[in-house]
Amino acid sequence: MKDSNLTKDFDDLKKIKSGGIINEFLWNFAGVNKSLLRQCPNEYSKYAGMGGTILCTAVMAMLSGAYAIYFVFENVYISIAFGIFWGILILNLDRYIVSTMYSDGKHSISWEEFRSAIPRLIIAIFIGVVIATPLEMKLFEERINIEIAEMESEIIKHQLRDIRSLYKDDKKRIEEEIEKINQKIEEYSQISKSSNKEWKEELTGTGTKSIRGDGPIAKKLYQSYLGDSLRLLKYKQEKEPILADLGAQLRNITDKEEKEMDSRNVLATQSGFCQRYEAFSRIDDNNIELSIVIWFIRLLFIIIEVLPTFLRMMIARGTYDDLLQAESIYISKMANRRSEEVEEEYETEIAICTERNRVRLEAETKANEELYNAIAQAQSEVIAAAIEKWKKQELEKVEKDPSSYIKIN
């Protein structure tokens, strides 16, 4: 009576067509055989939880990939497309890792299980770090912006110093030449002013001779003043084109400095993913408190990523595993049986073909023998007829001329 009830209950389990909308949805990400798992209601939540963990990891990967790629292309549509692709890729990797895990069916993790899981754990840790980094950068976005501003200021200072040192020698040479000419002009100007002063003092009687009026000394001083003024004017006229050319060269160098500085400032103020990651690394290296927070967040993502792998090793063997093993054995037996049937069919086909060929060969051999016999008999009859005819011809020769026949022989 009890056996019949068990059989009835098992048949009722086979009639279950759905384990619930949420369970059915999450099972897709755990890589299970849903038709078998529906027969094991006590294990619904176990594999639903595993699938949910893998799904959450894929969603985080999607957000992480979209945020990272946005700073490369600065295009929302490309970022969304890449984020979806990245999430699907991580989902398939996690699903494959969990579905191919070896488990001995015990709650504890054996060395054999852990050793077989080492490559998968390495992959999971790597995926966790890759997923965590862009999301951490988003969490510390404000601090990263401050660090980027400091980096830009440092870069601009270094670039300004480099640009100035690049044109320093040329500017110094031009400025020295301009200064030398201006000093000479100032020198001639002072001499001319001094000559003018002496001439005027002589005219007014305040000079050294104390003779007022336009006398010989005044005229001589006036000639000296004219000579100094002409020399100043001539020097200015000679050096004016040179000063203009030197001034143009100096302005040209200054324009080059400004243009190069502007172009480098544009490059320095570009904030792509590499610049943001560099700023993030500097925060991690220079600020111990933030570095601790960053590593806690990173470890959290790594734990979330490797959690399905450890859960798979820690899950005890249940009815679903028994059904899965039975299904595997059944399929293996059916495959072996089918293989044997195919082999038997192949051997039968070979035997039939062999027998068909044997019969055909025997028939052809028999036909050939009959043909050969007929040909041989026909040849014998032809030869006998030829001999008979030849005999008659020879006998006729003998009757006509016996001596001749004997002579020939």
Side-chain angles (χ1 to χ4, degrees), residues 264-278:
R264 294 197 183 187
N265 286 344
V266 172
L267 295 176
T269 54
Q270 289 180 352
S271 181
F273 184 79
C274 291
Q275 288 82 357
R276 299 187 72 81
Y277 183 76
E278 183 181 356

Side-chain angles (χ1 to χ4, degrees), residues 65-225:
Y67 177 75
I69 209 68
Y70 178 76
F71 289 99
V72 178
F73 295 100
E74 295 185 354
N75 187 295
V76 176
Y77 300 105
I78 294 177
S79 302
I80 293 174
F82 180 82
I84 294 173
F85 165 76
W86 186 247
I88 293 173
L89 177 63
I90 299 301
L91 174 65
N92 284 324
L93 282 175
D94 288 341
R95 190 172 182 270
Y96 173 77
I97 289 173
V98 171
S99 61
T100 57
M101 279 291 301
Y102 164 75
S103 176
D104 59 4
K106 298 179 181 178
H107 288 291
S108 59
I109 300 175
S110 64
W111 168 245
E112 187 69 23
E113 285 179 313
F114 184 77
R115 187 175 62 180
S116 66
I118 288 176
R120 294 172 173 82
L121 289 174
I122 293 174
I123 295 173
I125 291 172
F126 177 76
I127 293 173
V129 173
V130 171
I131 293 173
T133 301
L135 295 180
E136 289 174 337
M137 292 170 63
K138 181 61 179 176
L139 292 175
F140 294 94
E141 186 175 11
E142 294 182 358
R143 185 65 180 83
I144 289 174
N145 291 335
I146 296 173
E147 191 69 26
I148 288 176
E150 294 178 358
M151 289 170 56
E152 290 174 357
S153 177
E154 293 175 2
I155 293 172
I156 291 172
K157 288 180 182 179
H158 288 302
Q159 289 178 349
L160 181 59
R161 186 174 63 249
D162 294 340
I163 293 171
R164 284 177 176 173
S165 63
L166 182 64
Y167 296 101
K168 180 180 179 181
D169 294 336
D170 293 336
K171 288 181 69 175
K172 184 177 180 181
R173 176 182 57 80
I174 295 172
E175 288 173 352
E176 287 178 352
E177 292 182 7
I178 294 173
E179 182 64 23
K180 188 183 296 184
I181 294 172
N182 288 331
Q183 285 178 357
K184 199 68 175 177
I185 291 172
E186 182 64 24
E187 180 183 345
Y188 289 159
S189 178
Q190 291 297 329
I191 293 173
S192 177
K193 288 179 181 179
S194 178
S195 300
N196 185 32
K197 182 180 178 182
E198 291 177 359
W199 172 61
K200 287 183 178 181
E201 286 178 351
E202 186 64 27
L203 289 176
T204 58
T206 57
T208 57
K209 302 296 182 179
S210 301
I211 300 175
R212 184 176 182 179
D214 190 10
I217 297 175
K219 290 180 179 179
K220 186 177 180 180
L221 292 174
Y222 179 70
Q223 293 297 325
S224 177
Y225 165 65

